[in-house]
Amino acid sequence: MTRLTIRRPDDFHLHLRILLMLQNVLRHTADHFARALIMPNPMPPIVTSEDVTRYQSEILAERGQTVAFEPLMTFFILPNHDPRQIGLLKGVGVLSGKGYPKGLTTNSDDGIEDYFALYEVYAEMEKHGLVLCLHGEKPGKEVYCLDREKEFLPIVRQINQDFPKLRIVVEHVSTAAAIETVLELPDAVAATITAHHPALTTDDIIGGKLKPHLFCKPVAKRPEDREAIVRAMISGSPKFFFGSDSAPHPRGAKECAEGCAGLYTAPVALAVLSEMFEKYDALDRLENFVSRFGAEFYSLPLNEGTITLEKKPWKVPTSYFDQPNDVVPFRAGEELQWQVVS
Amino acid sequence: MTRLTIRRPDDFHLHLRILLMLQNVLRHTADHFARALIMPNPMPPIVTSEDVTRYQSEILAERGQTVAFEPLMTFFILPNHDPRQIGLLKGVGVLSGKGYPKGLTTNSDDGIEDYFALYEVYAEMEKHGLVLCLHGEKPGKEVYCLDREKEFLPIVRQINQDFPKLRIVVEHVSTAAAIETVLELPDAVAATITAHHPALTTDDIIGGKLKPHLFCKPVAKRPEDREAIVRAMISGSPKFFFGSDSAPHPRGAKECAEGCAGLYTAPVALAVLSEMFEKYDALDRLENFVSRFGAEFYSLPLNEGTITLEKKPWKVPTSYFDQPNDVVPFRAGEELQWQVVS
């Protein structure tokens, strides 16, 4: 197969940032995706219904009238979140709330330490049909970085047991353990898979030279974890759908003494996924992964229209945007085999 | 205890580099250490007796006449090393040969893939009383980076079994598994411990922001590995002695898209070690670790003279040397409690 037309896809995990970065990156997603779930961790975080409305307006203003791209909104769950806010958030159209583990990733200083202190919030979210999106890593200095996802899984189990109707997404899974847990748990629990975790292991980041542009949270794990992610991605199970976690950082925030976590994948994600699905002889399952399972989990209508992918090599730019805010994308400077042609 | 006078110490694993970097870094080691084993991986590597003599002369010229510092020389073992060279190398005074795993660390492209193809070299080294220094990580893309040291240990066992009189040093140990193996094997097998592996885990490098200045090979491992290294260091076992692996890189070679491995510890190593030995209530064992066990293993006379360490806080510079060749040391900008006062 050298040409593939699929329903317009969704990205259920996207960082758009604000101001100049928002202006720069928005079109890369809007060019390829009909909708994206916009992560609520700019600084300051998107917490209240007013925050959500304002941020959504900023994105729509930037998008303009002629582009058919819909930002799906989520809110940042504070450790002391007022459960009475949930109804208001639902009222302005948020689909989900995002729980960040305190201090573990970009702009997560206001994140959660004790997930069981938020039961009133979960109860309200369950009542209002909001999805709980979890960056699934256990916070706390005593947890070894490569164990954090595995050690977070009992928290997912417990919340699912106590709120069986609350839909939970374990975001950007990076371990075989997380895949197994998501498969074991009821249908209310699903996971997003990025375009880069099926492609990377820890070796790519620290195994040779240090590669800050391949550094993300959760950090890519062992080869057998990567393989389990690939298997889940191409399995056809509706529990696994695409969320890029595309996270742009200016080059200077990566190539420095304290580098930020995150890969900028928006402009290459569909090409990278097409390559991988082809490699594993599963191109016929790509559409469900990027255009159906996520929408169904979030109870959204499927997108109208299509995009066409073609096997036609192109070279990924070594960076996007003007210095000093240029961003080095995933697979920078490399040749990719597939591209979006319409 | 706030003041400690010990025999002048040795550093049994040091990168001095060449040219400007050599000029810059030499005094930091010479100020504190009587001798150091100089790693043979400048580019091109130090392979022949002529290479050794030339490199030693460069170091001595840089040192000058008035400084009492002795560079101990080692040679780079090529994958196809001519065993007839070993006698010549012994003739110019090398103490050891260093085996690098191909491609795994700085300037190791000429390193070894098959350690068992070098038995004639080991036989000559054993005959001439040279020490085999091994960067103990198994080469090969199929070995996960954090498993490489553990998977290298059977190679050490086998070489020790086949050459029982060949002294082997497993360099810069980073795992509990390596510590256990070294303890189990006969006295011909020892290990060096750096000043940073007893202080770091993977969390320090990739657990929060990405920290290129804490990135080295072997990469620091799990908390229980770090604890095993500390226990070995303060155990009083003569199988464990100090080798800093101090490895200066200009800032730009660390804060970039493909960062070099190595920590620059020479100016802080004794201060950092004193803090750790004090913390573990073992200051009385510091002297054996830095000034006796290594010399004894290498059959060298103990150094004459002493240095004095004092508990007197000082702030480590944020970097050393002039831009753009400035080097960020371990513990840059932090306050250390101990210092060398004379």
Side-chain angles (χ1 to χ4, degrees), chain B residues 179-190:
Chain B
I179 301 281
E180 283 159 28
T181 299
V182 168
L183 279 172
E184 253 179 55
L185 290 174
D187 289 347
V189 179

Side-chain angles (χ1 to χ4, degrees), chain A residues 144-148 202-203 206-213 215 217 219 221-223 255-260, chain B residues 144-148 202-203 206-212 215 217 219 221-223 255-260:
Chain A
Y144 181 62
C145 55
L146 300 174
D147 294 344
R148 285 178 191 157
T202 325
D203 291 333
I206 58 172
K209 296 247 182 158
L210 188 70
K211 304 277 180 59
H213 296 293
F215 170 64
K217 297 295 176 74
V219 173
K221 306 294 193 302
R222 303 181 60 93
E255 301 178 10
C256 62
E258 303 203 347
C260 291
Chain B
Y144 180 62
C145 54
L146 299 176
D147 293 345
R148 286 176 188 158
T202 325
D203 291 332
I206 58 172
K209 297 249 181 158
L210 188 70
K211 305 276 179 62
F215 170 64
K217 295 296 177 74
V219 173
K221 304 294 192 303
R222 302 181 61 93
E255 301 177 11
C256 62
E258 302 202 348
C260 290

